[in-house]
């Protein structure tokens, strides 16, 4: 009788092991993405790369991934986070509209065992994790480059990002501190750019009504240098006399930075062409969202992370801009940082899709939401 029971028990254990091994008895963890403002190319690209990370073979059997959009409304994002927790979220990845407004909802999520990771912008609640560049450094180096390009004097136009986000607040603070050190540098006009090429054009058009091109010596535009050079082109300013612009890493912006003599660019048209445009291109890489998701998945497996995970700040000048021939992850690892217009047809698309920690996603992920094979 005892022997018979042992055989039966072993059979049950064997069946349980087989089911576990096949995955039939293993439930996926629910992971949510909470997005705030989405009215620009960066946010769409970051979301595509997160979808690709979630669908990668290393992750697709571990998580169920769902994307929700709150818009630029802190209260709606709070409600969204609360609903995610009630729906059984094990991890939430967030682009926070505010560094502080979500704290109570985030703390409540953490108290229920939910891992919370923010990307690009920050959450100050200690239980959350932030994956981002040094935004103060970004604002500082961009302003320093512009001051140097203008010879330490002149009139500056400054266009911000999305107001209220830690990203915009920190960049603006650092840039203005640099400008304040130079009495001959004047910020003569400011506008709210919303990290959008279209909004940058609207704001600059307003500014030019009172500050025409001959009264502007340089521009610091969080997103929109491509538009600034395009507008100068449309105004008849030749390539050799275009005013310098420092700003984020749109692909069109970096193509314009390439020498006019560059013959390797395929698909160039209109102002989406090499101009030798005097520029500095930094970037908060949209791949940071996919990296945050990867870390969240690792946290579900028990790995620990600090409050802030700092992503290296890409910095590209006219001397270091380098065309990608194929756009592979390996080629980007070797230093290329701008893509053919024939491949990336939208000049406002962001070029920094490489992170050495995320070989699961690259150009194809940013363009189509498909993971690397």
């Amino acid at each position: 009788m005892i022997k018979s029971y042992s055989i039966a028990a072993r059979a049950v254990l064997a069946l349980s092991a087989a089911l576990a091994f096949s995955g039939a008895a293993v439930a996926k963890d629910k992971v949510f993405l909470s997005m705030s403002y989405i009215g620009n190319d960066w946010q769409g690209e970051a979301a595509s790369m997160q979808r690709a990370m979630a669908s990668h073979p290393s992750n697709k059997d571990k998580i169920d991934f769902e994307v929700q959009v709150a818009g630029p409304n802190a209260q709606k994002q709070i409600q969204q986070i609360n609903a995610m927790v009630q729906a059984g979220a094990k991890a939430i990845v967030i682009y926070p509209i505010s560094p502080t407004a979500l704290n109570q909802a985030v703390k409540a999520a953490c108290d229920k065992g939910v891992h919370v990771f923010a990307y690009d912008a920050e959450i100050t609640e200690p239980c959350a994790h932030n994956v981002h560049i040094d935004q103060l450094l970004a604002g500082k180096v961009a302003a320093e480059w512009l001051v140097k390009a203008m010879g330490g004097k002149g009139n500056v136009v400054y266009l911000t990002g999305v107001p209220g986000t830690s990203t915009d607040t920190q960049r603006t603070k650092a840039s203005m501190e640099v400008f304040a050190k130079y009495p001959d540098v004047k910020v003569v006009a400011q506008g709210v750019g919303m990290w959008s090429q279209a909004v940058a054009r609207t704001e600059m058009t307003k500014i030019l009504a009172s500050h025409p091109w001959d009264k502007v010596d340089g521009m610091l535009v969080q997103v929109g240098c491509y538009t600034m050079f395009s507008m100068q082109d449309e105004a008849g300013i030749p390539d050799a006399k275009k005013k310098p612009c420092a700003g984020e890493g749109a692909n069109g912006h970096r193509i314009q930075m390439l020498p006019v003599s560059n013959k390797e660019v395929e698909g160039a048209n209109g102002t989406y062409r090499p101009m030798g445009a005097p520029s500095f291109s930094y970037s908060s890489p949209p791949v940071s969202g996919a990296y945050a998701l990867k870390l969240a998945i690792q946290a579900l497996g028990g790995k620990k992370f600090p409050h802030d995970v700092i992503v290296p700040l890409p910095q590209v000048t006219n001397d270091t801009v380098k065309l990608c021939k194929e756009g592979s992850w390996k080629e980007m690892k070797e230093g290329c940082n701008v893509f053919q217009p024939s491949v990336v047809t939208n000049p406002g698309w962001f070029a920094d899709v490489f992170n050495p920690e995320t070989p699961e996603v690259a150009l194809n992920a940013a363009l189509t939401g498909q993971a690397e094979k």
Side-chain angles (χ1 to χ4, degrees), residues 86-99:
Q86 292 174 358
K90 297 299 183 183
I92 303 175
V93 180
I94 304 175
Y95 193 99
I97 193 61
S98 163

Side-chain angles (χ1 to χ4, degrees), residues 40-307:
N40 54 52
D41 295 300
W42 193 97
Q43 291 285 18
E45 198 173 328
S48 290
M49 298 194 82
Q50 289 181 72
R51 289 189 183 95
M53 179 63 77
S55 68
H56 189 267
S58 63
N59 298 320
K60 67 179 182 179
D61 294 328
K62 297 178 181 178
I63 66 168
D64 280 322
F65 185 63
E66 182 179 325
V67 180
Q68 296 185 16
V69 178
N73 183 317
Q75 188 57 41
K76 186 173 181 180
Q77 195 164 32
I78 289 168
Q79 293 170 352
Q80 192 177 77
I81 293 167
N82 290 337
M84 290 172 179
V85 174
Q86 292 174 358
K90 297 299 183 183
I92 303 175
V93 180
I94 304 175
Y95 193 99
I97 193 61
S98 163
T100 57
L102 311 182
N103 280 355
Q104 186 173 351
V106 168
K107 178 64 165 59
C110 292
D111 288 346
K112 291 186 178 295
V114 180
H115 300 278
V116 178
F117 283 76
Y119 62 100
D120 185 51
E122 300 172 41
I123 296 172
T124 56
E125 164 54 46
C127 75
H129 305 280
N130 298 310
V131 181
H132 58 93
I133 62 168
D134 184 334
Q135 303 289 0
L136 290 169
L137 178 63
K140 177 176 181 286
V141 295
E144 288 176 341
W145 179 90
L146 185 60
V147 169
K148 185 176 180 180
M150 297 191 310
K153 60 182 180 180
N155 294 333
V156 172
V157 170
Y158 180 67
L159 298 185
T160 70
V162 175
T165 60
S166 62
T167 301
D168 177 61
T169 300
Q170 292 177 25
R171 289 182 186 178
T172 299
K173 176 179 182 293
S175 293
M176 292 305 173
E177 287 176 353
V178 170
F179 293 143
K181 296 176 182 178
Y182 297 87
D184 293 329
V185 171
K186 308 294 183 185
V187 179
V188 296
Q190 295 187 54
V192 177
M194 300 299 289
W195 299 325
S196 162
Q197 300 289 338
V199 176
R201 178 177 284 273
T202 299
E203 291 300 304
M204 192 63 184
T205 299
K206 295 176 187 176
I207 290 169
L208 289 170
S210 55
H211 298 86
W213 285 116
D214 61 351
K215 302 297 183 184
V216 175
D217 299 297
M219 293 145 285
L220 201 166
V221 183
Q222 285 194 27
V223 171
C225 281
Y226 169 76
T227 295
M228 299 301 104
F229 289 123
S230 296
M231 292 178 75
Q232 291 182 69
D233 210 62
E234 293 157 9
I237 299 174
D239 291 345
K241 294 187 177 180
K242 284 186 167 62
K243 312 296 177 71
C245 183
E248 268 268 25
N251 204 67
H253 173 196
R254 291 187 182 169
I255 288 290
Q256 291 172 333
M257 292 170 66
L258 290 168
V260 176
S261 59
N262 189 294
K263 304 300 183 186
E264 296 181 316
V265 175
E266 300 171 358
N269 63 88
T271 59
Y272 195 3
R273 63 173 177 84
M275 297 180 177
S279 195
F280 174 82
S281 173
Y282 68 91
S283 179
S284 181
V287 70
S288 63
Y291 187 34
L293 176 58
K294 182 175 182 176
L295 298 184
I297 295 169
Q298 291 177 352
L300 291 172
K303 192 167 182 179
K304 304 295 184 182
F305 297 99
H307 180 63

